[in-house]
């Protein structure tokens, strides 16, 4: 009996200690739902540090028979008893240049899809680069360009599904899609020098600027507890906040709505195409991103615009997803519109050089000229009499030189032309901008016939089948240095009073666009005859004076 007393006393003290410690330990616990065939000893062997913990579990959970536990019974397990081991995160997608700095030896490596992040490792992304990191619980984090992230804590609790992941955003931006966090041991936190964001299943964005020591958090789904300067605010879905270092989080404010894009073509066939959207009066800036999927994925292009428009980058032909969001005056980014776009701009079309757009060609064979395209093996040229190219005049393909002589075009006709490149694989790219030119005749040179009597002089010439007018000039001299009359007439004739002295007259045709033809032969107008010696003498003197 004496030997048993100390043993009983120890057991009593130990049990008392367990019962005293239990409430503290139970503050963080895992709740397990029993499946058919479970026993406490097998459960403890699989999940707990010590198999002997099954006895304490029996006491804590008031289980009558540790070998026959009713299905769906809830077992509360202190978190400190559960097996845990280091976890890794892995890069599942990479765009652009990214580097991993290994904590073990401080070495730097180019990030690849085989790269794993362990405790203390750091990730650096370059300009226009992005990386998707997947944690052990399936949560994903998109690290955007020019960011630096440190993996401060990576641990998982056996086969419970609970993962404890904590990262430090030293600078840059992160988009996070977190899996629902079940159990007290499950955790996903984004730390910055200004704030800590703790989530339990949500979608949100985090940014930190070392220039102004400010963090920015925007919640798209779920809720995020944001802590700064020992004060925590819950930021709900559709709200965002900013946190300055050593200050409490700003009162959450509503995110700006997604911009509405103006109508886009079915295929964008122009490199640098300008995308526009409805203006938001509350926006200080806008952000546009392009990716290959409408789900969480790497970003191919990331840019800002102070106006409600932006020019797309030069990307390969493909289907992409364009996101645009407004940024308010606090720097908080709103919801993003997500629009699929199809780029089909290659091979790039040449640039038309000659003739100039809307040029009028007269008396010459049109020569079309264009720049060489680096993507082109040969060219296609189309010419039509309408802007929609329904009334095709000619379509020439397989042209290897950047020019084409045109013959046989009808006069007084407007023509439309465009061209495209064909690459070495035979794929034709989009057409260039349509150019216009007019083919018109040179106005015929009038050959006036002169009729005059004592009172009147009349000139007439052949009419033209084209709509035109006629310019008539009368001068004192043959060189038309001193022009007395310059008039325009619609009919191919003119009648004027017979001059008292010698005059000179000429005529030329004017096309409907003002183009002037060549002057006809100069005609000499003489004064009327007179038998009076006074008239003759006066005419002689006047002629001398005029000359």
């Amino acid at each position: 009996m004496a030997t048993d007393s100390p043993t009983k006393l120890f057991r009593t003290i130990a049990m008392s200690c367990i019962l005293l410690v239990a409430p503290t330990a139970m503050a963080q616990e895992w709740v397990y739902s029993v499946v058919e065939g479970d026993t406490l000893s097998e459960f403890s062997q699989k999940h707990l540090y010590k198999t002997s913990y099954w006895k304490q579990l029996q006491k804590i959970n008031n289980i009558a028979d540790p070998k026959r536990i009713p299905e769906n019974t809830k077992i509360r397990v202190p978190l400190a008893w559960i097996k845990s081991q280091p976890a890794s995160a892995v890069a599942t997608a990479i765009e652009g240049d990214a580097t991993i700095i290994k904590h073990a030896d401080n070495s730097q490596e180019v990030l690849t899809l085989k790269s794993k992040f362990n405790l203390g490792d750091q990730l650096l992304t370059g300009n226009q680069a992005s990386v998707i990191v997947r944690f052990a619980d399936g949560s994903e984090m998109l690290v955007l360009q020019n960011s630096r992230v440190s993996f401060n804590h990576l641990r998982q609790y056996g086969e419970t599904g609970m993962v404890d992941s904590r990262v430090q955003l030293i600078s840059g931006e992160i988009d996070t899609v977190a899996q629902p966090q079940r159990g007290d041991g499950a955790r996903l936190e984004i730390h910055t020098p200004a704030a800590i964001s703790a989530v339990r299943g949500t979608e949100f964005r985090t940014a930190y600027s070392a220039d102004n020591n400010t963090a920015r958090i925007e919640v798209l789904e779920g809720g995020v507890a944001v802590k700064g300067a020992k004060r925590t605010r819950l930021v709900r879905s559709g709200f965002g906040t900013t946190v300055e270092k050593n200050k409490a989080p700003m009162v959450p404010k509503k995110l700006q709505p997604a911009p509405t894009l103006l109508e886009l073509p079915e295929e964008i066939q122009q490199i640098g195409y300008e995308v526009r959207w409805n203006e938001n009066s509350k926006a200080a800036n806008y952000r546009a991103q392009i990716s290959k999927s409408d789900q969480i994925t790497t970003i191919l292009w990331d840019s800002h615009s102070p106006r409600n428009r932006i020019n797309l980058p030069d990307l390969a032909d493909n289907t992409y997803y364009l996101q645009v969001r407004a940024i308010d005056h606090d720097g908080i980014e709103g919801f993003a519109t997500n629009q699929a776009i199809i780029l089909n701009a290659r091979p790039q079309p040449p640039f038309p050089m000659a003739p100039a757009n809307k040029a009028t060609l007269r008396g010459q064979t049109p020569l079309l000229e264009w720049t060489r395209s680096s993507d082109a093996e040969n060219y296609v040229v189309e010419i039509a009499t309408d802007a929609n190219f329904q009334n095709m005049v000619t379509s020439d393909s397989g042209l290897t030189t950047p020019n084409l002589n045109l013959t046989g075009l009808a006069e007084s006709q407007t023509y439309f032309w465009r061209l495209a490149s064909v690459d070495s694989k035979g794929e034709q790219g989009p057409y260039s901008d349509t150019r216009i030119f007019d083919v018109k005749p040179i106005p015929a040179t009038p050959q006036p016939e002169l009729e005059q009597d004592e009172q009147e002089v009349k000139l007439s010439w052949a009419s033209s089948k084209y709509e035109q007018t006629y310019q008539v000039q009368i001068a004192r001299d043959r060189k038309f240095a001193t022009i007395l009359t310059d008039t325009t007439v619609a009919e191919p004739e003119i009648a004027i009073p017979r001059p008292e002295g010698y005059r000179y007259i000429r005529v030329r045709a004017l096309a409907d666009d003002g183009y002037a033809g060549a002057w006809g032969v100069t005609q000499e107008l003489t004064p009327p005859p007179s038998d009076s010696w006074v008239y003759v003498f006066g005419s002689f003197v006047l002629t001398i004076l005029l000359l």
Side-chain angles (χ1 to χ4, degrees), residues 43-93:
F43 174 86
S44 298
Q45 184 177 11
K46 181 177 182 181
H47 295 290
L48 306 184
Y49 281 116
K50 295 181 180 180
T51 305
S52 59
Y53 282 152
W54 71 266
K55 296 180 180 180
Q56 289 92 321
L57 286 181
Q58 183 179 8
K59 293 285 185 180
I60 293 171
N61 292 279
N62 297 316
I63 295 174
D65 188 342
K67 294 184 178 181
R68 292 181 178 83
I69 311 171
E71 192 173 0
N72 295 323
T73 296
K74 305 299 181 185
I75 300 178
R76 294 158 48 224
V77 185
L79 197 61
W81 297 356
I82 301 172
K83 293 177 182 178
S84 67
Q85 64 273 353
S88 295
V90 62
T92 60

Side-chain angles (χ1 to χ4, degrees), residues 238-240 252-256 328 332:
F239 287 80
K253 59 188 301 189
K254 230 177 174 182
L255 302 183
Q256 293 300 308
D328 68 18
I332 296 176

Side-chain angles (χ1 to χ4, degrees), residues 310-364:
I310 200 166
N311 295 99
L312 297 180
D314 184 1
L315 296 174
D317 290 350
N318 210 331
T319 298
Y320 298 97
Y321 290 85
L322 171 66
Q323 293 186 33
V324 179
R325 52 185 180 256
I327 305 174
D328 68 18
H329 291 274
D330 289 316
I332 296 176
E333 301 187 5
F335 287 104
T337 185
N338 201 327
Q339 173 71 51
I341 57 173
I342 300 174
L343 296 186
N344 186 19
R346 296 183 183 278
Q348 297 180 55
F351 180 78
M353 294 178 61
N357 195 31
K358 298 183 180 179
T360 298
L361 306 179
R362 298 177 186 272
Q364 58 180 298

Side-chain angles (χ1 to χ4, degrees), residues 5 12 103 202 223 373 427 454 513:
S5 296
T12 302
H103 175 68
T202 191
S373 171
E427 180 180 351
E454 292 184 358
D513 60 358

Side-chain angles (χ1 to χ4, degrees), residues 143-396:
V143 183
L144 296 173
Q145 63 175 337
N146 302 318
S147 296
R148 188 182 189 103
V149 176
S150 176
F151 294 83
N152 288 357
H153 192 95
L154 295 171
R155 200 159 189 85
Q156 63 185 29
Y157 290 88
E159 300 179 16
T160 66
M162 292 186 295
V163 177
D164 187 349
S165 304
R166 288 170 250 175
V167 300
Q168 175 85 10
L169 176 58
I170 300 170
S171 62
E173 297 174 280
I174 291 174
D175 292 356
T176 305
V177 177
Q179 294 295 324
Q181 306 292 293
R182 296 185 175 89
D184 291 339
R187 183 186 307 181
L188 177 59
E189 291 182 354
I190 309 296
H191 293 229
T192 72
I196 299 174
S197 300
V199 302
R200 300 191 69 83
T202 191
E203 182 176 350
F204 68 107
R205 302 189 292 248
T206 308
Y208 181 74
S209 171
D211 293 336
N212 55 19
N213 295 320
T214 300
R216 187 188 76 241
I217 297 93
E218 298 129 9
V219 181
L220 306 179
E221 290 184 7
V224 176
V226 179
K227 183 179 180 181
K230 299 182 180 180
R231 181 170 181 181
T232 301
R233 287 190 185 275
L234 176 64
V235 183
R236 295 181 290 113
S237 175
F239 287 80
T241 186
T242 60
V243 189
E244 291 186 45
K245 191 174 182 180
N246 301 322
K247 292 186 179 180
M250 181 185 74
V251 175
K253 59 188 301 189
K254 230 177 174 182
L255 302 183
Q256 293 300 308
T260 301
L261 297 181
L262 301 186
E263 186 175 0
L264 293 170
E266 289 186 10
E267 288 187 352
I268 296 176
Q269 299 183 336
Q270 176 186 343
I271 292 175
Y273 181 86
E274 184 180 72
V275 176
R276 300 187 178 196
W277 52 87
N278 289 336
E279 189 171 4
N280 182 339
S281 60
K282 297 181 180 179
N285 206 343
Y286 299 92
R287 186 173 190 175
Q289 295 175 322
I290 289 180
S291 61
K292 290 183 179 179
S293 172
D294 59 349
Q295 305 299 317
I296 183 169
T297 185
T298 52
I299 303 299
L300 304 175
W301 176 74
D302 194 338
S303 187
H304 290 76
S305 173
R307 303 183 299 161
N308 59 325
R309 63 197 65 183
I310 200 166
N311 295 99
L312 297 180
D314 184 1
L315 296 174
D317 290 350
N318 210 331
T319 298
Y320 298 97
Y321 290 85
L322 171 66
Q323 293 186 33
V324 179
R325 52 185 180 256
I327 305 174
D328 68 18
H329 291 274
D330 289 316
I332 296 176
E333 301 187 5
F335 287 104
T337 185
N338 201 327
Q339 173 71 51
I341 57 173
I342 300 174
L343 296 186
N344 186 19
R346 296 183 183 278
Q348 297 180 55
F351 180 78
M353 294 178 61
N357 195 31
K358 298 183 180 179
T360 298
L361 306 179
R362 298 177 186 272
Q364 58 180 298
T365 300
L367 174 63
L368 305 184
E369 296 180 281
W370 55 90
T371 59
R372 289 186 180 274
S373 171
S374 58
D375 295 340
E377 186 81 8
N378 54 73
Y379 306 97
V380 173
V381 177
E382 292 187 345
I383 304 168
T385 56
D386 66 303
N388 296 321
F389 289 82
Q390 297 299 310
N391 302 317
M392 195 73 71
V393 174
T394 183
S395 179
D396 291 283

Side-chain angles (χ1 to χ4, degrees), residues 476-505:
R476 292 180 185 272
D477 58 288
R478 288 184 180 276
K479 294 183 178 180
F480 286 79
T482 305
I483 297 174
L484 301 176
T485 301
D486 191 338
T487 188
T488 302
V489 297
E491 300 300 325
E493 61 181 14
I494 187 173
I496 58 175
R498 190 165 183 174
E500 295 182 358
Y502 289 93
R503 302 287 186 270
Y504 300 90
I505 189 169

